[in-house]
Amino acid sequence: MMGEQSVMQEELFYGFSLERHVPADHLLRAIDRFVDLSAIRQHLAPFYSPIGRPSIDPELLIRMLIVGYCFGIRSERRLCEEVHLNLAYRWFC
């Protein structure tokens, strides 16, 4: 039967915010306050070729290495898996 909705539409959808799922006292939040890698792309631009496959973002790479160092992840493959699965790591990167 057609009729007016008595329930708000927002209740039918699921909203997700990565910011809300990383605790305020997490180690990576403390590190993020002091890490500023905004100028690194400009600094490394002369070393990247304009042709070929796109490169890995240097800021992302350094952030991933910081995560690996802080949490004792020695394998690059394992580090990629952990960043893919862990919400705090993903937020930081």
Side-chain angles (χ1 to χ4, degrees):
M1 177 174 164
M2 277 299 263
E4 283 189 41
Q5 296 274 340
S6 61
V7 178
M8 295 299 293
Q9 289 284 334
E10 291 82 24
E11 295 177 11
L12 300 174
F13 298 100
Y14 176 73
F16 181 81
S17 170
L18 193 56
E19 189 71 33
R20 284 188 282 151
H21 283 79
V22 179
D25 60 344
H26 196 280
L27 174 65
L28 291 177
R29 282 202 185 264
I31 292 172
D32 189 55
R33 288 186 202 115
F34 298 103
V35 174
D36 180 22
L37 300 172
S38 58
I40 198 159
R41 284 186 197 96
Q42 235 177 9
H43 181 71
L44 294 176
F47 300 103
Y48 286 93
S49 174
I51 59 172
R53 291 180 57 183
S55 64
I56 297 172
D57 181 16
E59 181 178 356
L60 172 63
L61 184 62
I62 291 174
R63 285 182 175 272
M64 286 179 70
L65 291 173
I66 291 170
V67 168
Y69 179 77
C70 291
F71 294 98
I73 304 169
R74 296 183 181 152
S75 164
E76 288 180 12
R77 183 173 292 167
R78 181 72 180 163
L79 180 59
C80 288
E81 290 173 2
E82 289 294 325
V83 168
H84 181 74
L85 294 175
N86 190 309
L87 293 178
Y89 298 172
R90 190 175 279 216
W91 171 85
F92 182 73
C93 292

